């Protein structure tokens, strides 16, 4: 048996721990393992495929990033190919990918990725590839699993930042607006904001009203709390506006969103007269070492993915359904984006302790 492993989409802390566990448990079964580098690039002549041995995965579980590299611009069904006039055209290179996989003797593929990569996995599965998915995103927005690895580390990074912002905001009587990742789902903003006692939490699931945000800030001001902390997910938007789009994306890349915090800080300052500043936490949420929780979850996912291959669970992905790791059809993940349930006790508790959602 020869299996291959790939990592696609934005990185998330814990990827290396998944790779290590999958490789070691495959080797333990007597299988060979190949690593496809840079998403599916290694099967498309854009990068290489390398043997993954005990040595290749030694000492990597605690490291961020992915030893296989990754890309968010390599969809083989919509591959951006430069034309003679310099423009890009989307080309279907999936047959070429399958042919290359066959020629390398790959019997099955474990692919680690978010919604985009899982959608590619599903299409490759439908074309006959024996594939098992491992869900990955720091946004925690994949359906079918309670948590994805990388989320806990991102939340802890955001908590540490909010703790730091508290002391400087308080010394200057400022409003500090911090933007965290979360394109479609506000889990990072909600969990970090509530744990680090932010005053306002704005998430894509609840369009916000700037007047309501300002009312919360001024209510605190009247109570002598002259500073406020606002945590906003990058995909949050006002009731009367759209999400904030950042510049031009590269060919093959999804819409780049972000920058909403700057606009909001400006509006708060204009309406309240209080000094408001903003920062984007950005890729700090993705780089560096994973937390213990993420290392363990990632390791469990890696082991479970190899078991799923052994059991022939093609077209399925591993998932956490606390306290167990199970497999569910990849289609479950693709059925809908997992978003914050507004009736969940986390949201109710936040409201009960006085956190504003800007509604
Ligand atoms: O999907 C995870 C995510 O972290 C999103 O929250 C964010 O919009 C996106 O990745 C950014 O990815 P990149 O900067 O790599 O394009």
């Amino acid at each position: 048996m020869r299996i291959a492993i790939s990592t696609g989409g934005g990185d998330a802390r814990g990827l290396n721990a998944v790779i290590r566990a999958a490789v070691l448990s495959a080797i333990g079964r007597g299988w060979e393992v190949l690593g496809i580098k840079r998403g599916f690039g290694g099967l498309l002549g854009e990068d290489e495929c390398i043997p993954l041995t005990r040595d290749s995965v030694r000492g990597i579980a605690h490291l961020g990033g992915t030893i296989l590299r990754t890309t968010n611009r390599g969809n083989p069904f919509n591959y951006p190919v430069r034309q003679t006039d310099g423009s890009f055209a989307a080309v279907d290179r999936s047959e070429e990918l399958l042919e290359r996989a066959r020629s390398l003797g790959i019997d099955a593929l474990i692919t680690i990725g978010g919604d985009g990569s899982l959608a590619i996995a599903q299409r490759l599965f439908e074309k006959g590839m024996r594939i098992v998915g491992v869900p990955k995103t720091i946004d925690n927005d994949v359906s079918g699993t309670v948590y994805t690895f990388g989320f806990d580390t991102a939340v802890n990074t955001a908590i540490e930042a909010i703790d730091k912002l508290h002391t400087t905001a308080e010394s200057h009587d400022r409003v500090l607006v911090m933007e965290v990742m979360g394109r479609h789902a506000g889990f990072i903003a909600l969990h970090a904001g509530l744990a680090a006692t932010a005053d306002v939490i704005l998430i894509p699931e609840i369009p916000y009203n700037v007047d309501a945000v300002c009312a919360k800030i001024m209510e605190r001001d009247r109570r002598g709390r002259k500073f406020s902390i606002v945590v906003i997910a990058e995909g949050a938007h006002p009731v009367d506006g759209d999400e904030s789009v950042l510049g031009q994306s590269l060919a093959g890349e999804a819409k780049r969103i972000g920058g909403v915090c700057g606009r909001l800080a400006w509006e708060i300052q204009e309406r309240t007269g209080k000094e408001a500043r903003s920062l984007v936490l950005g890729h700090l949420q993705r780089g560096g070492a994973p937390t213990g929780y993420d290392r363990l979850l990632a390791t469990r996912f890696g082991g479970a993915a190899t078991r799923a291959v052994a059991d022939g669970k093609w077209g399925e992905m591993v998932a956490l359904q606390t306290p167990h790791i199970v497999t569910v059809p990849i289609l479950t993940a693709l059925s809908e984006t997992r978003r914050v349930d507004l009736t969940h006790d986390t949201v109710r508790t936040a409201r009960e302790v006085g956190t504003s959602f800007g509604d």
Side-chain angles (χ1 to χ4, degrees):
M1 180 83 163
R2 171 179 280 185
I3 68 165
I5 301 181
S6 70
T7 53
D11 64 352
R13 290 181 271 187
L15 279 167
N16 282 326
V18 179
I19 295 169
R20 173 181 172 275
V23 167
L24 292 181
S25 52
I27 290 173
R29 286 175 164 81
W31 303 350
E32 278 179 34
V33 190
L34 277 184
I36 302 167
K37 293 193 75 177
R38 210 169 297 279
F40 292 110
L43 291 177
L44 294 171
E46 311 285 344
D47 210 315
E48 51 179 354
C49 291
I50 53 166
L52 290 177
T53 62
R54 281 186 191 282
D55 278 345
S56 349
V57 298
R58 180 166 294 141
I60 64 167
H62 64 294
L63 301 177
T66 158
I67 59 165
L68 294 176
R69 309 287 182 267
T70 188
T71 176
N72 52 12
R73 303 197 302 275
N75 183 345
F77 291 91
N78 252 322
Y79 207 87
V81 175
R82 193 184 279 277
Q83 307 297 289
T84 42
D85 65 359
S87 66
F88 283 89
V91 174
D92 183 352
R93 298 184 66 190
S94 57
E95 280 304 327
E96 190 186 332
L97 182 153
L98 292 172
E99 184 45 45
R100 179 81 181 124
R102 275 192 290 270
S103 73
L104 287 170
I106 294 172
D107 297 306
L109 172 67
I110 293 176
T111 188
I112 313 167
D115 50 356
S117 306
L118 291 171
I120 296 168
Q122 176 64 25
R123 291 182 72 179
L124 291 173
F125 165 64
E126 286 165 8
K127 288 190 116 187
M129 196 167 209
R130 305 204 301 177
I131 219 162
V132 165
V134 177
K136 166 244 54 158
T137 162
I138 70 163
D139 291 1
N140 202 36
D141 60 357
V142 176
S143 289
T145 183
V146 176
Y147 286 118
T148 47
F149 61 88
F151 171 67
D152 181 69
T153 319
V155 168
N156 277 290
T157 302
I159 287 174
E160 195 184 333
I162 299 168
D163 287 347
K164 289 176 176 162
L165 291 181
H166 260 108
T167 59
T168 176
E170 186 162 12
S171 355
H172 285 267
D173 292 345
R174 281 176 178 156
V175 177
L176 279 170
V177 183
M178 186 176 94
E179 178 176 319
V180 295
M181 285 189 172
R183 294 174 84 79
H184 309 295
F187 290 106
I188 297 177
L190 175 65
H191 287 222
L194 182 57
T197 71
D199 308 296
V200 180
I201 297 173
L202 303 175
I203 57 177
E205 292 85 346
I206 308 178
Y208 62 86
N209 181 328
V210 183
D211 285 331
V213 173
C214 293
K216 172 68 187 175
I217 291 166
M218 294 317 289
E219 173 209 312
R220 282 175 53 77
D221 192 87
R222 282 191 296 278
R223 281 193 284 110
R225 304 297 276 162
K226 301 287 178 193
F227 73 97
S228 283
I229 303 290
V230 179
V231 177
I232 182 166
E234 62 186 352
H237 60 92
V239 271
D240 53 356
D242 294 327
E243 64 191 8
S244 165
V245 177
L246 257 188
Q248 195 64 36
S249 304
L250 295 171
E253 181 189 345
K255 188 164 62 175
R256 219 180 269 186
I257 60 171
V260 64
C261 63
R263 189 176 68 198
L264 179 62
W266 189 249
E267 285 172 329
I268 291 171
Q269 184 166 300
E270 291 267 283
R271 293 183 198 199
T272 63
K274 293 186 73 68
E275 184 179 352
R277 302 289 186 95
S278 66
L279 82 153
V280 179
L281 198 55
H283 295 87
L284 286 175
Q285 293 159 94
R286 298 229 304 245
T291 57
Y293 182 90
D294 276 338
R295 277 184 223 183
L296 178 60
L297 180 60
T299 300
R300 292 173 71 199
F301 273 2
T306 307
R307 282 197 296 281
V309 170
D311 294 343
K313 295 196 168 169
W314 315 126
E316 307 238 328
M317 68 167 199
V318 300
L320 174 67
Q321 287 179 6
T322 318
H324 301 291
I325 305 285
V326 299
T327 61
V328 298
I330 292 175
L331 279 177
T332 305
L334 302 180
S335 61
E336 59 176 348
T337 300
R338 181 164 178 260
R339 308 187 84 203
V340 171
D341 170 2
L342 301 184
T343 64
H344 194 271
D345 75 88
T346 315
V347 175
R348 292 180 58 190
T349 299
R351 290 195 189 278
E352 285 164 8
V353 300
T355 313
S356 166
F357 285 94
D359 54 348

